[in-house]
Amino acid sequence: MNIEEFRAELETRLLIEKEYLIQEASSVNDEERLELLGKFNEKYRTLINRLANENGIDLQASYETENSSGAGSLSYEQIILGKTMSVYDRLSDELYEEIINV
């Protein structure tokens, strides 16, 4: 699985988690609603680990590119976080808007 496929699968799974949390928001008080953002962050990290395990990706291994010199190379985890953070940011912003308007 390449990084773009990983990102797409992660986005799909995060969308599902976001919908679950929006449903949960309707049954909790205001203080607990904001805690749902922390839960979403945990889901993001958990899903990265789960997808990596499912696809045999060692997150601690160095990410090799054609032009990497070996010095200062990034790990798969760092690359994945860099490529998926915009997805997380967008979905967490959407989640925030939804839970404050419940």
Side-chain angles (χ1 to χ4, degrees):
M1 173 179 267
N2 69 37
I3 298 295
E4 285 306 312
E5 290 170 341
F6 190 99
R7 186 204 57 75
E9 181 64 23
L10 180 66
E11 182 174 9
T12 299
R13 293 185 188 194
L14 280 174
L15 279 167
I16 294 166
E17 293 298 335
K18 182 186 91 167
E19 292 305 316
Y20 283 131
L21 292 172
I22 289 169
Q23 290 174 3
E24 186 178 335
S26 64
S27 63
V28 297
N29 66 38
D30 289 344
E31 185 178 312
E32 292 172 321
R33 283 189 194 143
L34 292 179
E35 291 173 6
L36 295 175
L37 293 173
K39 274 187 171 180
F40 189 69
N41 182 280
E42 289 173 30
K43 294 289 185 181
Y44 172 63
R45 293 290 192 162
T46 301
L47 284 171
I48 286 174
N49 288 325
R50 184 177 302 146
L51 276 171
N53 283 338
E54 289 173 7
N55 292 285
I57 298 171
D58 178 1
L59 293 174
Q60 303 311 312
S62 292
Y63 182 78
E64 298 298 327
T65 60
E66 292 176 10
N67 57 0
S68 62
S69 62
S73 64
L74 300 173
S75 69
Y76 271 91
E77 182 176 32
Q78 292 169 317
I79 297 294
I80 288 169
L81 288 173
K83 294 281 188 180
T84 62
M85 190 57 69
S86 64
V87 170
Y88 169 79
D89 287 342
R90 178 176 49 81
L91 294 176
S92 63
D93 287 348
E94 290 173 9
L95 176 62
Y96 176 77
E97 290 298 321
E98 291 283 341
I99 63 176
I100 63 168
N101 293 317
V102 171

